[in-house]
Amino acid sequence: MTRTGKGRAELTEGPIREAMDRKQAREHEFEGLSYLRVTDDAHGLSRGIVAVGGEVVPTYPHIGRIFVLREGVRATFDAPFRAEEKIDGYNVRIVRSGGKLLAFTRGGFVCPFTVDRLPDLAELDPLFDEDPSLVLCAEVAGPGNPYLHGQVPHVSEDVAFFGFDLMRKGRSGFVPLDERDALFERHAIPRSRVLGDFAPDDFEGLRRVVLQLDAEGAEGMVLKPPAEGKRVKYVTPAVNLADVVEDASLLAELPGEFFASRIVRLAIGLDELGLEGRSGEMAERMGHALLEDFEGTVRQFRQEGIVTRSFDIRMRSEERLELLLRQLDQSAKSVNFKEISRERRDGYIHCRLAKQYQRSTSWLHTIMRGGSVID
Amino acid sequence: MTRTGKGRAELTEGPIREAMDRKQAREHEFEGLSYLRVTDDAHGLSRGIVAVGGEVVPTYPHIGRIFVLREGVRATFDAPFRAEEKIDGYNVRIVRSGGKLLAFTRGGFVCPFTVDRLPDLAELDPLFDEDPSLVLCAEVAGPGNPYLHGQVPHVSEDVAFFGFDLMRKGRSGFVPLDERDALFERHAIPRSRVLGDFAPDDFEGLRRVVLQLDAEGAEGMVLKPPAEGKRVKYVTPAVNLADVVEDASLLAELPGEFFASRIVRLAIGLDELGLEGRSGEMAERMGHALLEDFEGTVRQFRQEGIVTRSFDIRMRSEERLELLLRQLDQSAKSVNFKEISRERRDGYIHCRLAKQYQRSTSWLHTIMRGGSVID
């Protein structure tokens, strides 16, 4: 990598080929197209960088979280910035290569679900016709996604597409927001909501926006400078509570920090936003979920011998569905995916899948038979 | 170590001297008496083994936890066993060496607090007069202990002493319960309650005892065979709830597993014991504590710039108090101990101490100033 003006790094295929020799990158194939995927952070390359058709797709950078709005914004920005809605889905980077639209996950795999469903979600070719060097960063969200559980406001079924950034092949850094907005508008890219421009000391303005997002059950917002510079994210109290409540049945599966960190964020958010009056009611919903939903898990285990949750997806192509199932099984560390049913209807394959949670299943298997544990 | 009859290992000072050479044991001094302490599990020695006056004090073994009573008892015992109350305090092993009573913590340090307060808590010399090879295993519990927070039933102030096992210097394994009981009785050793003898299939009898312990707020019970053999422990729903509630203000300090594991145990206990009817009320108490007590921590941090909790101990000797403070500071990984006040009254030094929690203090310091975190 070499640095160019404005601190952007130029990305070429050479270092990724070298990473192949060190076993820090791997070659994959998707529908006849081969691509390289960096598998580990090392030697200045990040996990998830992809080389395809001789061009490099940069990673979408991880964005720091602020826990308090007033001081977080002051510490991050010294000039007006943009607030945009943060969508609770999965992140993909979309490029066109060899005439084909490809969607890469954070880990750098082609996502067969996204590629399969893109024609339903967004018309992207005109964007890439205008500038084939673009990388479109988007969130795919909704109950019919194969990766994440949970409700998303405004997406009551299946999935929807939310573009939120543009990058360019061969370099890191974002396309400036004005330029991005013009391209999104010209090509009617479905996108996440722009919530407004704010001065760093406009706490009241931001607070009003957060209270509105919170009331909708939205995840939160990403705060972005107009071009280069640091970005931060902030999530609503509602979504911290929802995360705890929705995954309480997995209390023996997920790391304890999953729950503790969200309760901590919730408390800090309620305190800063002046919502202490809602603590009592939220506390009770949280308590009921944590204790009683996990009691439900214990009952499920006693009846079925397994901790499992099912969900529904729909896809167009059988082959891509099979590839998705293989990738899900390979990428999940302690979850098995099991197909429950498959039905062709209205031009789609409707597939019901179950996640079988291995960690809590095997732990409950041990202790419900009377096993003892030294802890 | 060599194995003798009945699987007991003979423990001599030689291997501990060798561990010194490997830096896996250290020499310490307490009031003119030197002792060796094994600092790591290695080469068949356990952390906390002590050599003093040429004799070896074995460690108190860690006892496995069962989560379900019916199957746990069946899987552990094939003959009647004893149930004894488990006390929520700190574990010490008491020996007499060079005419002095010494109390060793689990880690193998002389506990200056216990040694200082023993004359108030129990008259132990007659026991050691009869058999100087004995190791008395005991729990010291109550709000005035220097190590642990939390309420203990029947100990409303200061601390109390509960003997619960006898071992012998130079070997592992326990003195059989009948022999222990005779010695405890003859020498009036204050002890934890015997709850009864049970057959492995007497779930209803055990359940009644657990419901009684639960109603008292007691921690639980340890189940012991009459002599050699596996032991297990079982804790009450009440204490799992109390642990979560009492430490909820430390949600950003303790590992998330601390809370998750107790909620899981609580749910499993309520389910097995037929106490689902109490879930709702317990869930709400838990939810209020987790969210609102941590909001209290946030407010404390905003006002005082620190996360701290204070407690009171009383001791007889200034020197032992100083030694205790040094040991507390050295052994705690992310807690500073600060003396708030010291007053001599009624023959005791009454000392108020504060635990200053470094992990949550420094984390709150970062994020309340607006710092961002990649998580």
Side-chain angles (χ1 to χ4, degrees):
Chain A
M1 281 192 306
T2 52
R3 292 265 153 198
T4 59
K6 291 189 169 177
R8 291 189 178 178
E10 230 170 76
L11 304 166
T12 58
E13 205 188 34
I16 302 176
R17 294 251 162 234
E18 289 161 27
M20 293 277 293
D21 300 335
R22 296 191 308 270
K23 311 262 186 210
Q24 289 168 331
R26 283 186 56 190
E27 184 162 6
H28 297 268
E29 183 271 337
F30 176 78
E31 301 184 354
L33 205 77
S34 91
Y35 63 98
L36 308 181
R37 180 179 73 88
V38 174
T39 56
D40 299 285
D41 287 345
H43 293 77
L45 294 176
S46 304
R47 175 174 181 275
I49 290 184
V50 167
V52 59
E55 294 174 308
V56 174
V57 183
T59 48
Y60 190 81
H62 290 277
I63 294 178
R65 176 193 306 283
I66 55 171
F67 295 74
V68 290
L69 204 49
R70 187 194 302 266
E71 295 305 326
V73 163
R74 279 189 193 151
T76 308
F77 300 104
D78 53 16
F81 58 90
R82 177 80 57 86
E84 298 180 357
E85 184 175 355
K86 180 175 185 337
I87 305 289
D88 195 6
Y90 65 88
N91 178 298
V92 282
R93 291 161 289 155
I94 297 169
V95 297
R96 196 164 66 184
S97 186
K100 257 182 127 130
L101 291 171
L102 296 173
F104 293 97
T105 63
R106 272 212 176 269
F109 289 96
V110 170
C111 170
F113 177 82
T114 315
V115 171
D116 185 77
R117 298 298 312 283
L118 262 187
D120 301 329
L121 302 174
E123 168 62 53
L124 301 181
D125 276 309
L127 176 74
F128 293 109
D129 289 341
E130 174 171 342
D131 187 347
S133 78
L134 288 174
V135 177
L136 169 59
C137 306
E139 206 83 355
V140 178
N145 93 77
Y147 301 112
L148 303 157
H149 279 280
Q151 293 302 313
V152 187
H154 321 306
V155 190
S156 58
E157 60 151 19
D158 198 19
V159 288
F161 182 95
F162 301 90
F164 55 80
D165 268 310
L166 290 171
M167 304 175 81
R168 283 205 170 80
K169 290 173 187 167
R171 57 173 105 161
S172 60
F174 297 104
V175 170
L177 302 189
D178 285 348
E179 191 180 340
R180 175 205 65 178
D181 289 346
L183 283 159
F184 277 6
E185 197 179 345
R186 193 147 64 241
H187 301 295
I189 306 297
R191 61 175 298 178
S192 64
R193 266 186 298 173
V194 172
L195 304 165
D197 293 309
F198 297 89
D201 59 359
D202 185 11
F203 172 67
E204 274 311 317
L206 280 165
R207 179 173 171 275
R208 268 194 303 276
V209 167
V210 167
L211 294 181
Q212 177 60 34
L213 291 172
D214 190 64
E216 295 170 14
E219 190 187 14
M221 55 192 186
V222 179
L223 310 180
K224 305 176 176 180
E228 308 274 338
K230 188 176 175 184
R231 299 166 158 207
V232 291
K233 63 186 175 189
Y234 177 86
V235 301
T236 59
V239 105
N240 284 316
L241 178 65
D243 281 357
V244 172
V245 167
E246 282 166 9
D247 282 331
S249 63
L250 299 177
L251 195 59
E253 182 74 26
L254 300 173
E257 289 307 317
F258 176 90
F259 300 97
S261 63
R262 281 161 179 80
I263 303 171
V264 161
R265 283 183 221 153
L266 176 58
I268 292 171
L270 294 175
D271 176 77
E272 186 191 21
L273 298 169
L275 298 176
E276 303 91 337
R278 287 180 48 203
S279 295
E281 171 255 329
M282 285 181 143
E284 293 182 8
R285 277 183 56 203
M286 190 175 79
H288 283 292
L290 284 171
L291 186 55
E292 293 168 351
D293 289 4
F294 188 75
E295 287 181 51
T297 299
V298 174
R299 282 192 300 275
Q300 178 183 62
F301 179 83
R302 275 203 278 96
Q303 286 158 21
E304 305 172 32
I306 198 163
V307 179
T308 182
R309 293 207 302 197
S310 63
F311 60 101
D312 299 291
I313 62 171
R314 66 181 81 158
M315 289 181 71
R316 294 167 168 272
S317 140
E318 199 97 28
E319 291 70 31
R320 287 169 177 174
L321 172 57
E322 295 298 341
L323 177 60
L324 174 70
L325 296 179
R326 280 200 301 281
Q327 282 187 197
L328 286 172
D329 242 348
Q330 282 163 15
S331 64
K333 283 191 192 80
S334 69
V335 180
N336 286 350
F337 286 83
K338 189 175 152 59
E339 186 174 330
I340 297 184
S341 65
R342 191 187 292 208
E343 185 194 353
R344 192 170 273 283
R345 169 164 46 90
D346 314 327
Y348 289 98
I349 305 154
H350 293 259
C351 183
R352 169 157 286 191
L353 294 170
K355 284 189 178 184
Q356 300 183 332
Y357 293 94
Q358 298 304 302
R359 189 174 164 235
S360 40
T361 295
S362 82
W363 184 79
L364 282 167
H365 187 71
T366 300
I367 66 119
M368 295 299 276
R369 286 190 310 175
S372 64
V373 175
I374 290 190
D375 51 19
Chain B
M1 282 192 300
T2 53
R3 293 264 154 197
T4 60
K6 293 191 167 172
R8 290 189 177 181
E10 231 171 74
L11 304 166
T12 58
E13 203 187 37
I16 302 176
R17 293 252 164 234
E18 288 162 27
M20 295 276 295
D21 299 335
R22 293 192 308 270
K23 310 265 186 208
Q24 288 169 332
R26 283 187 56 189
E27 184 163 7
H28 298 269
E29 183 270 339
F30 176 76
E31 300 184 357
L33 205 77
S34 90
Y35 63 98
L36 309 181
R37 179 179 73 88
V38 174
T39 55
D40 300 285
D41 288 343
H43 294 77
L45 294 174
S46 303
R47 176 174 182 274
I49 290 185
V50 167
V52 59
E55 294 173 310
V56 174
V57 183
T59 47
Y60 189 82
H62 291 277
I63 294 178
R65 175 194 307 282
I66 55 171
F67 295 74
V68 291
L69 204 48
R70 187 195 302 265
E71 296 304 326
V73 163
R74 281 190 191 151
T76 308
F77 300 105
D78 52 16
F81 58 90
R82 178 77 59 85
E84 298 180 356
E85 183 175 353
K86 180 175 184 341
I87 306 287
D88 194 8
Y90 64 89
N91 178 296
V92 282
R93 290 162 290 155
I94 298 169
V95 298
R96 196 164 66 183
S97 185
K100 257 185 128 124
L101 290 171
L102 296 174
F104 292 98
T105 62
R106 271 210 177 269
F109 289 96
V110 170
C111 170
F113 178 82
T114 313
V115 171
D116 185 77
R117 299 299 311 282
L118 261 188
D120 302 329
L121 302 176
E123 168 61 54
L124 301 181
D125 276 309
L127 176 74
F128 293 108
D129 289 341
E130 175 173 339
D131 186 347
S133 78
L134 288 173
V135 178
L136 169 58
C137 306
E139 205 84 355
V140 178
N145 94 76
Y147 302 113
L148 303 157
H149 279 278
Q151 294 302 311
V152 187
H154 321 304
V155 191
S156 57
E157 60 149 21
D158 200 15
V159 287
F161 183 96
F162 301 90
F164 55 80
D165 269 309
L166 290 172
M167 304 175 83
R168 282 204 170 81
K169 290 173 186 166
R171 57 174 103 162
S172 59
F174 297 105
V175 171
L177 301 190
D178 285 348
E179 190 181 341
R180 176 205 66 177
D181 288 346
L183 284 159
F184 276 7
E185 195 177 349
R186 191 145 67 241
H187 301 295
I189 306 297
R191 62 175 299 182
S192 63
R193 266 185 297 172
V194 172
L195 303 166
D197 292 310
F198 297 89
D201 59 359
D202 185 11
F203 172 66
E204 273 311 316
L206 281 165
R207 179 174 171 275
R208 270 194 302 276
V209 167
V210 168
L211 294 181
Q212 177 60 34
L213 291 172
D214 191 64
E216 295 172 11
E219 192 189 12
M221 54 191 188
V222 179
L223 309 181
K224 304 176 177 181
E228 307 274 338
K230 188 177 175 183
R231 302 166 156 208
V232 290
K233 64 185 175 189
Y234 177 87
V235 301
T236 60
V239 106
N240 283 317
L241 178 65
D243 280 357
V244 172
V245 167
E246 282 167 8
D247 283 331
S249 65
L250 299 177
L251 194 60
E253 183 72 27
L254 300 174
E257 288 308 315
F258 175 91
F259 299 96
S261 62
R262 283 161 176 80
I263 303 170
V264 162
R265 285 184 220 152
L266 176 58
I268 292 171
L270 294 175
D271 175 76
E272 186 191 20
L273 298 168
L275 298 175
E276 303 91 336
R278 287 179 50 203
S279 294
E281 171 254 330
M282 286 182 143
E284 292 183 7
R285 277 182 56 205
M286 190 176 81
H288 282 293
L290 283 171
L291 186 56
E292 292 167 352
D293 289 5
F294 187 75
E295 286 182 50
T297 299
V298 174
R299 282 193 299 273
Q300 180 183 61
F301 179 84
R302 275 203 278 97
Q303 284 157 20
E304 304 172 33
I306 198 162
V307 178
T308 182
R309 293 206 300 197
S310 63
F311 59 103
D312 298 292
I313 61 171
R314 67 182 81 159
M315 289 182 71
R316 294 165 167 275
S317 142
E318 199 96 31
E319 291 70 28
R320 287 169 176 175
L321 173 57
E322 295 297 342
L323 178 58
L324 174 70
L325 297 179
R326 279 200 301 282
Q327 282 186 197
L328 286 173
D329 243 347
Q330 282 162 16
S331 65
K333 281 190 193 82
S334 70
V335 180
N336 286 349
F337 286 82
K338 189 175 152 62
E339 186 174 331
I340 296 184
S341 65
R342 190 187 293 209
E343 184 194 353
R344 192 171 273 283
R345 168 162 49 88
D346 313 327
Y348 289 99
I349 305 154
H350 294 259
C351 183
R352 168 157 288 190
L353 295 170
K355 284 189 178 183
Q356 300 182 332
Y357 294 93
Q358 298 304 300
R359 187 172 167 239
S360 39
T361 296
S362 82
W363 184 79
L364 282 168
H365 187 71
T366 300
I367 66 118
M368 296 297 276
R369 285 189 311 175
S372 64
V373 176
I374 290 190
D375 50 18

